[in-house]
Amino acid sequence: MDQIALATDFAVIVVAATTIGFVAKQTGQPTIIAYILTGLLLGPVFLDVVTEEGLVELMAELGLGFLLFLLGIKMRFDDIRNILRPIVTIAVWQTVLQTALAFAVAYVLGFTLVETVVIALATVFGATPIIVKVLTDKDEITALPGKIDVGVLIVQDIYLVFVLAMLSAGGLTSVADVGLTLVTITVMMSSIALFSLASSRYLLPGLFRRIADDKDVFFVIAIAWAFLFIVVSEGLDLSIEVGAFLAGISLAQLPYSKELEERIAPITDFFILVFFASIGLRLAADDLLAYWVEAVVASAVLMIGNFWIMFYLIDREDFSVETSFLGSINMVQVSEFSLVVGGIAVAQGFVDTPVLGYLSLMALLTMTLSTYVINYNHAIYDRVEPWFARFEGEGKGDVSLPEYRDHAVAIGYDEITERALPRLKERYGEVVVIDRRTDHIERLREEGEYESVYGDFKHGEIRKAAGLKRADFVLSSTVQPELNERLLGEVSAGTIVFCEAERIDDAERLYDLGADYVILSTHLTGEKLAAYLESYFDDREAFEAAIGEDVRRIRRGGIDG
């Protein structure tokens, strides 16, 4: 019966969150707010019909783990190498200054010294799920402000592991105990990180090269890799988020990472729905309102203070004012991790449950507001840009992150595209080939003439990785009408598009949608066959000469398979 009740709770959450999320989507509201609202409605604050226990708690924890796994898969070292030093500097000072600000605010509001320390430790973190989810939905996670924020969040997550470990070890009574605990955590995390990096270089490339063409096995192995790190981290008393993130980083260095992103995103979205709903389920009405005035005041002060701390730190690294503003305004909230830190502090007897309610209300208020702020960050910047122009100065500018622009994209690597690639490279300088066969990708990488992206063109992450919207020319060798129609609907207005079709009506449709030229391979083959037959019957010598060049071309070889 208990298992049935757990399954029922889970089903109620999913159905309610989906319904409220649909309404939010239709009215232009962030779905994350809808999921948190679901938890509030179903939990102790209102209806009290579902509890965060058993299956719900497990799914919520997996949701956060998969979100960090997906975040890790996005973190290619080549993409952040140029901004690694400033990110670490920003993250370290941000942690110090925001902890000091949170400490000062809590102390002024009248909390005891121990309560103030716990509150300061709990409120320094940015809301990783909110920031990553909203920026990913807006396609800004790989932009410079997004990479700065993600880098800071990673450092915060590492710091969080130490905070959780220290609070959980309630028996620490001396400096030696504290030092030993810190050293132990550092050694364990470093060991997992080194294994992750070594695997990405020596183990995973060969493994995924053999299985990448089998979509089902490809997906299962990736998920199994994530759970391997989660189990190891759990066994070492580290958070599963750290293990999942390190597993993602090891996979991110592979040429197949973009395809993995696309395949893992749906399951992550499902789990994250439960995670955000569980935030609302954790809150109790009495505790939530115990310090509601203090929570409102602290939320306002911390959101403003956190913005200016981040803005100062990013601006100090000589990034542009726009990057400093966007990177700062994305990081103004108190994280859901404050509930985790507060919960452990309550369990260890450091603080009482009303303090947890204070942290919960702050997290709820700031996460809700920041979701809207991040959604409209560019619009906000446009309004305040004249005032912030005073921070402009000589020498300030953004690091150029690697991206394709004004290039050519070839979809599929076959006899048609192979012959066109040299001419495209000559004309556009840079050519990116999208293909879902590992042997083709390996061949392209060995030759080194053209850039390549492994994956299926129908997946959005693959198209983003190839810079489709910034391309000047696209050559598609797929004959699937729906893919070519999607291509024509996504490219920029000035992009030249050559694509392929099997049927006349498909070609007409593609021309109507804006294709510059449609290759009718079967039609052209039929015409050439008719011409050859006529030549064969009327002039055998001319026929032999005509097919001679075809035979020589075949014998020179083309693409295998």
Side-chain angles (χ1 to χ4, degrees):
M1 291 299 293
D2 288 342
Q3 292 178 338
I4 295 176
L6 291 174
T8 301
D9 284 353
F10 183 68
V12 168
I13 290 173
V14 172
V15 172
T18 302
T19 303
I20 298 174
F22 176 77
V23 173
K25 194 77 172 177
Q26 293 299 108
T27 56
Q29 306 305 309
T31 54
I32 289 176
I33 301 303
Y35 299 154
I36 296 176
L37 180 61
T38 300
L40 289 174
L41 289 174
L42 300 179
V45 174
F46 288 104
L47 302 178
D48 198 16
V49 295
V50 176
T51 58
E52 195 219 3
E53 295 179 355
L55 185 61
V56 175
E57 185 177 11
L58 174 62
M59 290 297 181
E61 195 168 9
L62 284 176
L64 186 56
F66 270 100
L67 186 66
L68 269 293
F69 180 53
L70 187 62
L71 174 60
I73 292 177
K74 294 177 181 288
M75 298 303 295
R76 292 182 61 85
F77 294 141
D78 290 341
D79 294 343
I80 62 172
R81 183 174 288 117
N82 293 337
I83 58 173
L84 188 59
R85 185 202 60 78
I87 280 179
V88 173
T89 303
I90 292 168
V92 171
W93 280 107
Q94 180 266 351
T95 300
V96 172
L97 294 177
Q98 289 193 11
T99 301
L101 175 63
F103 183 94
V105 171
Y107 193 74
V108 168
L109 289 174
F111 290 96
T112 67
L113 181 61
V114 174
E115 290 173 340
T116 299
V117 170
V118 170
I119 290 169
L121 291 174
T123 53
V124 69
F125 308 103
T128 300
I130 295 280
I131 296 168
V132 173
K133 183 70 170 65
V134 178
L135 290 182
T136 299
D137 290 345
K138 294 183 65 182
D139 195 21
E140 293 181 14
I141 194 71
T142 55
L144 184 56
K147 285 187 179 294
I148 292 172
D149 291 339
V150 167
V152 172
L153 290 171
I154 291 168
V155 176
Q156 287 183 354
D157 288 341
I158 294 172
Y159 174 56
L160 173 67
V161 173
F162 286 95
V163 171
L164 294 179
M166 298 301 295
L167 288 175
S168 299
L172 300 179
T173 56
S174 66
V175 175
D177 289 340
V178 173
L180 180 61
T181 301
L182 291 176
V183 170
T184 302
I185 296 170
T186 302
V187 170
M188 290 190 297
M189 286 186 61
S190 300
S191 299
I192 297 176
L194 287 174
F195 176 73
S196 170
L197 296 177
S199 299
S200 70
R201 184 164 187 175
Y202 301 109
L203 172 63
L204 296 177
L207 172 63
F208 276 87
R209 190 183 303 117
R210 285 190 287 270
I211 66 169
D213 289 331
D214 188 324
K215 296 180 179 180
D216 294 333
V217 175
F218 181 67
F219 175 75
V220 170
I221 293 294
I223 296 297
W225 185 253
F227 275 107
L228 171 63
F229 276 73
I230 287 173
V231 169
V232 172
S233 296
E234 188 81 6
L236 294 176
D237 289 330
L238 300 173
S239 70
I240 69 169
E241 292 81 21
V242 171
F245 177 73
L246 292 174
I249 281 184
S250 61
L251 295 176
Q253 316 316 312
L254 303 178
Y256 321 111
S257 59
K258 293 298 179 183
E259 181 73 5
L260 279 174
E261 279 185 51
E262 190 69 32
R263 291 183 176 279
I264 289 169
I267 192 172
T268 302
D269 288 342
F270 174 75
F271 281 128
I272 209 68
L273 175 154
V274 184
F275 170 77
F276 283 114
S278 72
I279 292 176
L281 293 175
R282 297 174 193 174
L283 307 180
D286 294 339
D287 293 336
L288 193 64
L289 300 177
Y291 291 110
W292 73 269
V293 174
E294 290 87 346
V296 172
V297 172
S299 297
V301 173
L302 289 179
M303 289 185 75
I304 295 171
N306 290 348
F307 168 80
W308 282 110
I309 287 172
M310 279 293 292
F311 184 86
Y312 165 72
L313 293 173
I314 300 175
D315 183 69
R316 193 180 65 166
E317 296 296 330
D318 290 331
F319 288 105
S320 70
V321 171
E322 182 177 6
T323 294
S324 300
F325 182 89
L326 295 176
S328 304
I329 205 168
N330 296 338
M331 297 278 290
V332 297
Q333 67 288 111
V334 173
S335 171
E336 76 291 338
F337 285 127
S338 63
L339 280 68
V340 178
V341 174
I344 293 176
V346 170
Q348 294 292 342
F350 294 122
V351 297
D352 296 325
T353 53
V355 174
L356 179 59
Y358 165 82
L359 293 171
S360 301
L361 185 55
M362 272 205 304
L364 187 62
L365 290 173
T366 58
M367 284 194 297
T368 301
L369 288 173
S370 71
T371 301
Y372 290 97
V373 167
I374 299 172
N375 263 315
Y376 299 104
N377 53 6
H378 288 280
I380 296 172
Y381 178 72
D382 290 341
R383 290 289 187 92
V384 300
E385 182 181 6
W387 192 88
F388 275 85
R390 68 190 64 192
F391 295 102
E392 294 284 4
E394 292 185 12
K396 288 187 177 181
D398 291 336
V399 176
S400 296
L401 297 177
E403 69 172 17
Y404 302 119
R405 187 174 295 278
D406 304 328
H407 59 299
V409 175
I411 302 166
Y413 187 55
D414 56 18
E415 289 85 353
I416 294 176
T417 53
E418 183 190 29
R419 295 179 188 284
L421 292 181
R423 184 69 183 94
L424 292 176
K425 186 175 179 62
E426 179 184 334
R427 176 66 178 82
Y428 295 100
E430 197 166 36
V431 180
V432 182
V433 181
I434 300 174
D435 198 272
R436 57 184 179 184
R437 282 186 51 172
T438 54
D439 55 335
H440 290 174
I441 295 297
E442 289 294 324
R443 176 176 171 178
L444 288 165
R445 289 178 181 268
E446 288 173 4
E447 293 174 353
E449 287 291 322
Y450 313 105
E451 300 296 320
S452 59
V453 176
Y454 171 83
D456 196 326
F457 176 76
K458 69 183 179 182
H459 293 153
E461 288 296 331
I462 302 303
R463 300 195 296 274
K464 292 176 191 175
L468 184 67
K469 292 182 178 180
R470 299 184 297 273
D472 278 351
F473 185 97
V474 180
L475 171 61
S476 171
S477 66
T478 179
V479 295
Q480 298 180 50
E482 64 276 9
L483 292 187
N484 285 323
E485 290 174 13
R486 181 177 296 175
L487 159 65
L488 291 166
E490 190 165 324
V491 294
S492 300
T495 303
I496 300 169
V497 178
F498 282 26
C499 49
E500 189 173 354
E502 288 183 320
R503 296 163 33 181
I504 296 291
D505 55 345
D506 289 337
E508 291 177 350
R509 169 70 174 161
L510 294 175
Y511 276 124
D512 290 340
L513 292 173
D516 293 275
Y517 178 65
V518 180
I519 307 163
L520 275 165
S521 53
T522 53
H523 183 70
L524 295 175
T525 301
E527 287 186 345
K528 191 167 187 178
L529 175 61
Y532 275 179
L533 285 172
E534 184 177 351
S535 176
Y536 179 81
F537 293 132
D538 296 343
D539 188 345
R540 184 69 61 86
E541 186 175 334
F543 169 76
E544 296 291 345
I547 68 169
E549 179 58 30
D550 290 346
V551 173
R552 283 191 293 274
R553 188 180 296 119
I554 291 171
R555 286 176 175 169
R556 283 199 300 268
I559 294 179
D560 296 334

